[in-house]
Amino acid sequence: MMGSLASVYERFGDSHSEFECCDTTFRIRVTGVRAGAAVTAARETAESLETQLNAFDAGSAVSQLNRDGGVVNDHVARIVRRGLEYNDRTGGVFDIHQGGVEHDLKAFLRGDSDTPPTEFDTGTVRTNESHVITDAQLDLNGLAKGYIVDRAAEALGGVGRRGFVSGGGDMSPPTGPVAIESPYGDDTPLKVLDTDWYVATSGGYRRSRNGTDHVYDPTTESFGSRHESVTVVARRDCMEADALATTLAALSLSEARELASEWEGLEALVVHGGVFHTTEGFDTHVLDR
């Protein structure tokens, strides 16, 4: 009898996993048919993609691209094409050509360098199916984590099964209410979301040094998030939520509100100077609004 019950639970139950990936904690939870196998597949997907997309791993496809000026990798090509789309749509604020800046900025934030970077990069990149060619180092970090969440969430799919993937502040559509972390160091969430859209949060409160954080705007050659926190819900996918949360964090309040309000399939919460600024439809994604 015990063996039969174990077999039933394996076929229909609840499973979860928590592990380090992309310099943050990933969490996967699944309920339903073969939940354990689905969690394993999602975790393996995330870890495989991290080895290909980690620009700070010398053996990754992204490092090969930045070192050699070319790589054949379907995942990198997909991310690059999306990055070029966002470069056009944000007027260059979201710019994947800044791999050198990203590398030097991370070195400063880790304490490996005494000063942040002072010069921004220019260059060109093009794709042909899975082949990517560039004459500049690329920064794909503003898309890679969202892409990994998307692909890991795909691995959870199946009849009679539901679940979600969370990678730090980036999340596939949650299966229940989810809290937006406060940037002020307290346990009170900014809002509690109840949404079937993808979620991403950005801000300088997680990684900063001497007033400089991981956010930058190449159009003004400036560093640092302009707001305490930015949370985006996006209909398209987590990669879009990830990219737009980073973009809005780099813009002034008026520019961020304008871009967010004009972007179809996007709602945003910008916390600036302790004041909550939301797009018109954001509260439709909030629990007990």
Side-chain angles (χ1 to χ4, degrees):
M1 176 65 77
M2 290 299 293
S4 297
L5 287 175
S7 178
V8 169
Y9 189 78
E10 168 60 24
R11 292 196 303 269
F12 188 90
D14 179 88
S15 184
H16 68 277
S17 179
E18 183 174 305
F19 56 99
E20 294 304 303
C21 183
C22 303
D23 199 29
T24 190
T25 301
F26 265 58
R27 295 178 176 88
I28 302 172
R29 181 171 291 276
V30 182
T31 300
V33 177
R34 295 186 56 79
V39 166
T40 298
R43 177 170 179 166
E44 289 176 350
T45 297
E47 291 176 337
S48 173
L49 287 171
E50 182 188 25
T51 64
Q52 298 175 65
L53 302 177
N54 182 3
F56 295 90
D57 179 349
S60 73
V62 172
S63 289
Q64 180 185 344
L65 173 64
N66 285 338
R67 181 177 59 249
D68 301 338
V71 73
V72 178
N73 184 284
D74 188 53
H75 301 294
V76 174
R78 291 180 188 176
I79 294 171
V80 166
R81 282 191 287 270
R82 187 71 74 89
L84 294 175
E85 173 190 333
Y86 293 141
N87 182 84
D88 290 341
R89 296 181 66 183
T90 65
V93 177
F94 190 92
D95 183 4
I96 63 171
H97 299 90
Q98 304 300 326
V101 170
E102 171 73 1
H103 184 276
D104 293 346
L105 181 57
K106 289 289 179 62
F108 171 74
L109 294 177
R110 289 194 308 265
D112 298 337
S113 170
D114 293 333
T115 58
T118 57
E119 295 183 1
F120 282 76
D121 300 329
T122 59
T124 60
V125 57
R126 64 184 187 275
T127 65
N128 181 9
E129 296 183 347
S130 298
H131 195 185
V132 183
I133 300 173
T134 181
D135 59 8
Q137 292 188 60
L138 301 186
D139 173 15
L140 304 182
N141 285 350
L143 294 164
K145 184 150 65 81
Y147 181 82
I148 292 174
V149 168
D150 286 331
R151 301 289 77 77
E154 281 183 359
L156 299 179
V159 177
R161 189 163 60 231
R162 65 195 300 261
F164 70 92
V165 178
S166 172
D170 298 353
M171 184 179 294
S172 65
T175 55
V178 59
I180 301 175
E181 179 183 2
S182 170
Y184 304 117
D186 57 73
D187 295 330
T188 303
L190 298 180
K191 297 276 187 179
V192 177
L193 299 179
D194 184 10
T195 181
D196 58 1
W197 287 14
Y198 299 83
V199 182
T201 296
S202 182
Y205 61 95
R206 288 193 179 98
R207 292 172 289 176
S208 64
R209 179 186 176 199
N210 299 340
T212 298
D213 57 58
H214 68 287
V215 177
Y216 59 84
D217 179 358
T219 66
T220 59
E221 298 193 351
S222 59
F223 296 95
S225 175
R226 308 285 289 274
H227 322 289
E228 289 96 299
S229 176
V230 174
T231 296
V232 161
V233 290
R235 183 172 55 216
R236 184 177 185 180
D237 54 22
C238 194
M239 189 157 50
E240 177 142 302
D242 191 10
L244 268 295
T246 302
T247 300
L248 297 182
L251 293 172
S252 69
L253 179 59
S254 61
E255 291 170 328
R257 295 182 69 179
E258 180 180 5
L259 180 64
S261 64
E262 293 177 349
W263 199 286
E264 185 178 357
L266 184 88
E267 302 293 347
L269 162 66
V270 179
V271 182
H272 181 92
V275 179
F276 289 14
H277 302 268
T278 61
T279 52
E280 184 176 356
F282 184 83
D283 282 347
T284 62
H285 299 270
V286 175
L287 183 68
D288 295 330
R289 49 190 179 274

